[in-house]
Amino acid sequence: MARRPIALVTAAVLFLEAPGIVAINAVMARFVKIQTMSLDGMDPDAMYTGTWALGIASGVALALCGLVALVAGIRDRRPGRAGRGLLIGCAVVHGILGAVTVGLIGWGAFAFMMLVLGLIVLTLVAYGKGYEKGAEPREGAPAPA
């Protein structure tokens, strides 16, 4: 199985997605600021600041997930416990956002979100439990295809 290319492609996609999500939140923050929008009387400046904060935090989280996948691909070893947790959380968020985007944006955005979700899950599965670089198959284990 091509573990390294899968992890490296996952890292590249996540690194490209990180500034994209920051840019989307920047556009939304600009709309909130210009139109002085609020939810149930909330301060528009708080909405503007919150939108920026969410965008930056999401971008940093995606970059961290990309870094975990990049390190796994370069070392050809499975991520540590914290790295796997970060990738699992990223996969869950992509699944939820994929379900939301199909109604709000369309099937193209849904397909992209599911592609990223698939890459993250494939990276996690490729470096699954028991995988160690250079490990020999156990006795009685079927030969790899």
Side-chain angles (χ1 to χ4, degrees):
M1 187 169 175
R3 291 176 179 91
R4 274 189 174 177
I6 291 168
L8 294 175
V9 168
T10 302
V13 168
L14 289 172
F15 283 138
L16 290 173
E17 189 179 4
I21 199 73
V22 173
I24 288 171
N25 277 282
V27 169
M28 289 191 300
R30 181 84 174 134
F31 283 133
V32 167
K33 181 92 170 169
I34 290 173
Q35 297 182 3
T36 60
M37 294 179 182
S38 68
L39 290 173
D40 195 29
M42 202 172 172
D43 182 26
D45 288 333
M47 298 278 295
Y48 172 76
T49 305
T51 304
W52 265 112
L54 177 65
I56 292 170
S58 299
V60 168
L62 286 169
L64 283 174
C65 290
L67 186 64
V68 168
L70 180 66
V71 169
I74 289 172
R75 291 183 179 172
D76 199 23
R77 288 195 328 220
R78 63 188 258 178
R81 179 174 284 172
R84 285 192 311 268
L86 195 61
L87 287 175
I88 290 169
C90 189
V92 168
V93 168
H94 275 83
I96 292 169
L97 288 179
V100 171
T101 58
V102 77
L104 295 176
I105 300 172
W107 288 102
F110 173 77
F112 174 75
M113 296 300 282
M114 293 303 107
L115 173 76
V116 177
L117 170 66
L119 284 170
I120 295 169
V121 170
L122 194 54
T123 299
L124 286 166
V125 170
Y127 291 105
K129 187 173 183 175
Y131 174 76
E132 297 297 330
K133 184 177 181 179
E136 296 296 320
R138 292 173 294 176
E139 261 185 52

